Structure formats: structure tokens, C-alpha cells
Amino acid sequence: MTRRSPWPVSLWLGAALTALLVALALASFLWTPYPAEQVRVLARLKPPSAAHWLGTDHFGRDVLSMIMVGARNSLAVGAAAVGLGLLGGVPLGLLAAGLGRWGDEVLARLGDLVFAFPSVLTAILLTAVLGAGAVNVVLALALFNAAVLARVTRGAALAAWRRPFVGAALALGRGPLSVTLVHVLPNIAGIVVVQATVLFAVAIVNEAALSYLGLGIQPPSPSWGKMLGDAQTYLFTAPLQAVFPGLAIALAVMGLTMLGDGLRDWLDPRHRSSGVL
Amino acid sequence: MLAFLLRRLFGLIVTAWLATVVVFAVLQLVPGDPALLMLGVDARPDTLAALRAQMGLDLPVLARYLHWAGGLAGGDLGVSLTYGRPVAGLVAERLAVTLPLALLALAVSTALAIPLGLLAAARRGRGGDWAVLGFTQLGVSMPSFWIAILLILVFSLTLHWFPAGGFPGWGGGLGPALHALVLPALALALPEAAILARVTRTAVLDTLGEDHVRTARAKGVGRAAVLLRHALPNALIPVATVLGLQISFLVAGAVVVENVFTLPGLGRLLYQAIGQRDLIVVQGVVVLLALFVVAVNALVDIACALADPRPRGEA
């Protein structure tokens, strides 16, 4: 095996930010400064203070508590969208790489078809038909993720199939399924994980955008996107409320993209070109 | 080359056709009676019957698809339930906002990204490079609708330079209309510019390592001239590819950003149609956007193949 180089800066920073996000989400199960859905009309739209570190929203709900529970919701939607995408996309990509020309052609056309619908558009179409909600958002995002992951898996698997040890395993009488599982899959896992990390970030942004429009996570469950939508109504009186949830989204996305960049550089040091930060 | 073009064209037609099938099929997923969903439970029976007839709900599914697809091919997207007007006309009106917005965003993003990418490549590993990379990391992390809200906060509510939303229409002259599109276009352009600047930087750095560039330097051509005349033109192929792909992200982004600024564009039309349960408008707008993305993706593919003969051999 090749020797691993030390962790690049982006990997450290990305891992730290992502860990912080996960910790925030997990902590929200045990403790939040206030119950996230507690309405206190007398304390509405308060600026940050000792009692409410990030202030309160137009219902007097504690913004920090909402951001913590929102992290949980964002991560859940992202994890479901990427998990389902992996479950669907990786086997499809492996299959296409194994089946040769015809499998390839079918997968390529299916991919083109999915890419014809930007995931926000798919989500809008699904919510128009089936109603707004997190489940339909997850479905739309997962479909897009599966298409991307199938393409990435196929490309990487094709390259792996050409490696000498795969030929050797075949010559030793191993079947294609066993070769795929034992030799191909472990060799492409890194590339797939890097892509999945980036798709996780994209899923968080898209969930926020759809929840901003009111099509994603439904109130009273807090979501960063919905918080921004509410904050826009009170932009003049409580401008800071439009800053904190956005900052949460940006930090989450920054953490995950840097983690992805860092992982790619770490796994393949030749690739160290764009991801300096 | 001809074989490639024909194959790509065939792929384009198949994908476009499948896209119409998908949009149609998804709308069949409506639980229960679509006409009832659109009109609500207290609709009058004769209104309900009229809508059912207009949507062809009494026909078998295949006949309904053929009827709809035939209309689509002839530019007929049906009549909107809420507006009582042909969807095609509504779309044409809204395009007068969305198209200039998207073009403006594309122009701003390119104008920002290419100089920034060049600067970063020229100053590789030094202050300028780090500044550009910091900007791009920030740009890819901030969702466009949050940038939009922040722009409103700073440039509308605080500085009063631009309107916080709405659109005066093109009737009042070019000035006020463009003025209303500045902030939305910026919000759309900044994340795209961040990605494009990264791609430009990487592409320029790649070409800087090539032989013809080194030869030019060895012949005594200056740094700036090498960068602009030798490295940049060769770097433009990957840049153009990404630019083409970004058009589909712009479509999705415009849907959201138009709603932040309450701009009467296609995205706003689509969003309001969902609230009004106007499935005819939803179906029409979504299929048009999807067909547009399919066409752009195919064009990008063909343009890249024409500009660069290398990937043509691979299937």
C-alpha cells in the first residue's frame, strides 16, 4: 500500500468544523438553552443578551436553541439524502462498469435524465404533487445524489477493473461479483466517500433553500432555511436574526466541503491543486 | 465527428422525450383526483367536470400523455387554472424577467471569476492566491438566498442604493428595470463566480506547466503576455464546460432568488402555482426548464467536442 501523507490543513479544519456541527446536533438531544419550540410572545425579536445568546425570533423562541435543533434536522436530511444516494448509486455504478457497453449506455442516458432536473426543481415538482415536507425533499435530493454517485462509481470502477491485481484475481478463478466486492469496491471507496461528503454539503444548502420557500421541513420543527425566511420579514427590526442561521449553513457547508477537499488531497496527493484552504 | 454529433443528437432527443414522460408520470402520482386537488373539496360539480374535461382526466393515461405531449410540441401548455390564460403566454411574460436575470448573473460571474482565477494562478502560493481562495471558499459555502438577504440588508435597508424587491417592468425604460435586477443577479452570481474562479485557477495552472508555455517564456515573452495569450486561451475549455453546467444551477438558483426579491419571473410563477395548486402551470414550467437544461447540457458537450478533439474517441 502507498504511504499516507500527513493530514492537509483543509482536512483538519473541515473535520473540526464538521465535528462541531455533529456535536451541536447531538447535544440538542440532551440539552438546549430553552425548549426550541417554546413561544414567549413578550420576549419577541430580542437582540443577543446574556439570557438569549443569539437573541429571540418573532415568536420569542430562543435562536440558539433553534439553531441547535436545526442542525439536527439539517444533518438528518443530508444523511438520509446521501445514504439513499449511496445505496442506489454505488450498486448501479458497479453494475454499469461490469456490464460493459450496454449497461454503460443505459446508465449514461438515465444520468442525463436525472441531471435534466436540478434537484431543487425535482423537489418542487414532488412537493407540488405530494405536498410539502422533509420526506419529499429527501427523495428528490437522493435521486440526484444517486445519479452523481453512480457516475463517479462507474468511472472509478472502470479504472479499477483495468488494474493488474483485478486481472490476477479473475485469472485465479474468482467470479465477477467476488472481484467487485473484494478488489474493486475497497479501491474506489475513497473517491466515493469524497464525493458523498461534497453531496452532503449540497444537500444541506438545498434543504435550506426549500425550507426557506416553505416546501421543506415544516414548522414548528426549526430549520435554518425557514429561520432565514422568517428573519427576512423582520429584517428592519431584527437584522441579526438574518445572520445567525445563514452563518450556521455557511459553516456547515464550509466544514463539509473542506473535509471533502482535504480527504481527496490526503487520499491522492497528486491532486493537491485547488484545495489550498 | 459527424458520427459523434449524430449520436449526441439522438441522445438529446431520447433524454428530452424521457424528461417529458417523467414530468407527466410524476403528476399522475397525485393522490386521488387532480381536479379535486386543484379546486378544493367545495368545488361546484360543473366546474369540476369542466376542469376534468380540459385536463382530459376521463381519457386513458396514454391518450392523455399523447394529447399533452402533442400540445407541448406545438407550444401549447394548457390553460392556467388561476390566471385563466394559456400557460405559454404566462411563461413568455415571465421569461422577460428570468432570462435577463440569468444572463446578467452569468455575465457578472464570468467577469469576476476569470480575472480572479488568473490573479490566483499568477500569484500561486502568495497573498493574492490565498485571498482569492479564501473568497472562493466563502462563496461556495454561502447559499445564494442568504447572500440575497444580506445584500438587501446592506444595500437596500441600510444604504438605500437598490430596491429590496419587486420589478418595475421594461415599459419604464432600461434603467429602472436593470436597477431592480442588480442585487438578484449579484446574489446568483457570487456562488457561481466562486466555483468558476477555482476552475479557472486550476486550468491556468495546468496549462502553465505545458511545453508551449515554457517555450514561450524561454523565447523571452513576458509573464503577463504568456498568461494572457498562451495560458488563458487553453484554459478556457474547462472553464466553458463548467460555465455551461452552471446554467442548470442558475435555473434552480433563480427559482429561489426570484422569490427572495419577489421578482415576477418563472421561478416566482412556479412557486405561486404550487401555493395555488395550479398543477397545469407547474407541469408546464417544470417541463420547459428541464428541456432547457437538457438542451444546454448537450450543447456544452458538443461545443467541448468541437473545441477539443481529444475526448471524442472515448465512448
Side-chain angles (χ1 to χ4, degrees):
Chain A
M1 289 305 285
T2 47
R3 234 187 85 230
R4 296 284 186 229
S5 44
W7 281 27
V9 186
S10 52
L11 190 51
W12 278 112
L13 273 170
L17 272 175
T18 310
L20 184 74
L21 174 73
V22 173
L24 208 64
L26 289 179
S28 76
F29 282 105
L30 302 172
W31 174 84
T32 51
Y34 296 82
E37 293 168 19
Q38 187 184 64
V39 172
R40 287 162 74 227
V41 186
L42 285 178
R44 66 196 295 266
L45 296 173
K46 288 271 183 280
S49 65
H52 298 278
W53 287 7
L54 301 182
T56 59
D57 79 345
H58 60 296
F59 285 130
R61 292 175 295 189
D62 180 60
V63 170
L64 177 60
S65 308
M66 288 176 77
I67 284 184
M68 286 174 73
V69 179
R72 189 205 294 173
N73 286 339
S74 271
L75 282 179
V77 167
V82 173
L84 286 177
L86 282 169
L87 277 180
V90 173
L92 265 181
L94 288 173
L95 200 66
L99 284 183
R101 237 192 128 75
W102 269 102
D104 258 10
E105 196 59 32
V106 170
L107 189 77
R109 289 289 82 79
L110 276 180
D112 281 349
L113 181 60
V114 174
F115 294 132
F117 299 90
S119 48
V120 170
L121 204 61
T122 315
I124 285 179
L125 186 63
L126 279 183
T127 51
V129 172
L130 301 173
V135 174
N136 294 332
V137 169
V138 166
L139 277 181
L141 297 177
L143 194 67
F144 181 81
N145 289 346
V148 175
L149 288 166
R151 282 216 169 158
V152 171
T153 304
R154 178 197 154 261
L158 278 179
W161 273 102
R162 290 193 208 105
R163 307 266 298 265
F165 57 82
V166 170
L170 284 171
L172 284 172
R174 279 197 182 253
L177 183 66
S178 144
V179 169
T180 299
L181 291 180
V182 178
H183 296 283
V184 175
L185 199 54
N187 271 286
I188 65 169
I191 300 172
V192 173
V193 168
V194 167
Q195 190 62 49
T197 314
V198 175
L199 288 174
F200 205 122
V202 176
I204 287 183
V205 172
N206 283 335
E207 179 272 308
L210 289 161
S211 296
Y212 167 83
L213 291 177
L215 303 176
I217 292 169
Q218 295 299 302
S221 197
S223 112
W224 294 341
K226 183 80 189 115
M227 290 173 77
L228 282 177
D230 292 338
Q232 200 187 349
T233 316
Y234 302 96
L235 205 50
F236 206 73
T237 33
L240 278 178
Q241 298 316 332
V243 174
F244 299 127
L247 217 52
I249 300 173
L251 286 176
V253 172
M254 196 180 281
L256 284 163
T257 48
M258 282 181 6
L259 185 65
D261 278 358
L263 274 177
R264 191 193 54 214
D265 291 349
W266 183 56
L267 292 169
D268 180 11
R270 279 168 304 160
H271 219 287
R272 193 170 297 181
S273 49
S274 59
V276 172
L277 244 181
Chain B
M1 193 69 223
L2 189 68
F4 167 79
L5 279 180
L6 283 176
R7 211 164 53 88
R8 204 63 196 79
L9 199 67
F10 177 70
L12 166 70
I13 292 168
V14 171
T15 312
W17 168 66
L18 283 175
T20 68
V21 173
V22 165
V23 172
F24 181 81
V26 168
L27 279 144
Q28 308 311 310
L29 292 177
V30 173
D33 182 353
L36 198 63
L37 175 84
M38 289 168 70
L39 291 172
V41 278
D42 34 277
R44 284 170 37 195
D46 52 333
T47 331
L48 204 60
L51 183 63
R52 290 185 63 91
Q54 194 218 316
M55 293 173 77
L57 290 177
D58 306 315
L59 301 171
V61 173
L62 188 65
R64 223 183 313 152
Y65 170 74
L66 289 176
H67 178 251
W68 175 69
L72 179 65
D76 174 14
L77 296 167
V79 177
S80 156
L81 185 68
T82 18
Y83 300 90
R85 294 177 41 206
V87 176
L90 288 171
V91 166
E93 262 167 36
R94 304 306 183 101
L95 267 181
V97 178
T98 302
L99 206 60
L101 172 64
L103 288 176
L104 202 59
L106 212 57
V108 171
S109 137
T110 317
L112 270 175
I114 290 182
L116 281 179
L118 265 177
L119 173 81
R123 298 248 166 264
R124 181 181 197 178
R126 284 184 274 173
D129 190 15
W130 283 88
V132 171
L133 284 170
F135 161 77
T136 60
Q137 181 65 59
L138 210 63
V140 294
S141 305
M142 291 168 70
S144 57
F145 71 97
W146 186 42
I147 298 180
I149 294 173
L150 292 181
L151 287 175
I152 292 176
L153 186 59
V154 175
F155 294 104
S156 303
L157 295 185
T158 311
L159 296 171
H160 302 288
W161 289 359
F162 296 98
F167 188 69
W170 296 100
L174 210 58
L178 281 179
H179 195 229
L181 290 182
V182 169
L183 292 188
L186 260 182
L188 272 176
L190 286 176
E192 307 295 334
I195 297 168
L196 206 57
R198 280 193 167 198
V199 174
T200 308
R201 174 184 180 273
T202 311
V204 169
L205 282 179
D206 282 350
T207 53
L208 277 180
E210 278 177 24
D211 288 344
H212 69 273
V213 173
R214 204 170 338 132
T215 311
R217 277 294 278 158
K219 273 167 57 190
V221 181
R223 269 189 68 90
V226 163
L227 212 56
L228 289 178
R229 251 182 265 141
H230 297 268
L232 184 61
N234 284 298
L236 282 182
I237 291 172
V239 172
T241 312
V242 173
L243 198 66
L245 293 176
Q246 283 188 335
I247 291 177
S248 69
F249 292 108
L250 270 181
V251 167
V255 171
V256 183
V257 167
E258 276 177 14
N259 281 296
V260 180
F261 289 95
T262 55
L263 289 177
L266 268 188
R268 186 97 186 131
L269 179 69
L270 182 59
Y271 175 67
Q272 288 177 325
I274 294 176
Q276 295 150 344
R277 300 187 164 279
D278 193 340
L279 294 180
I280 301 174
V281 169
V282 172
Q283 190 175 23
V285 174
V286 169
V287 84
L288 280 184
L289 290 178
L291 291 179
F292 173 72
V293 172
V294 171
V296 168
N297 285 351
L299 277 178
V300 169
D301 240 27
I302 291 171
C304 287
L306 287 176
D308 181 8
R310 269 173 302 178
R312 210 188 305 151
E314 287 172 89

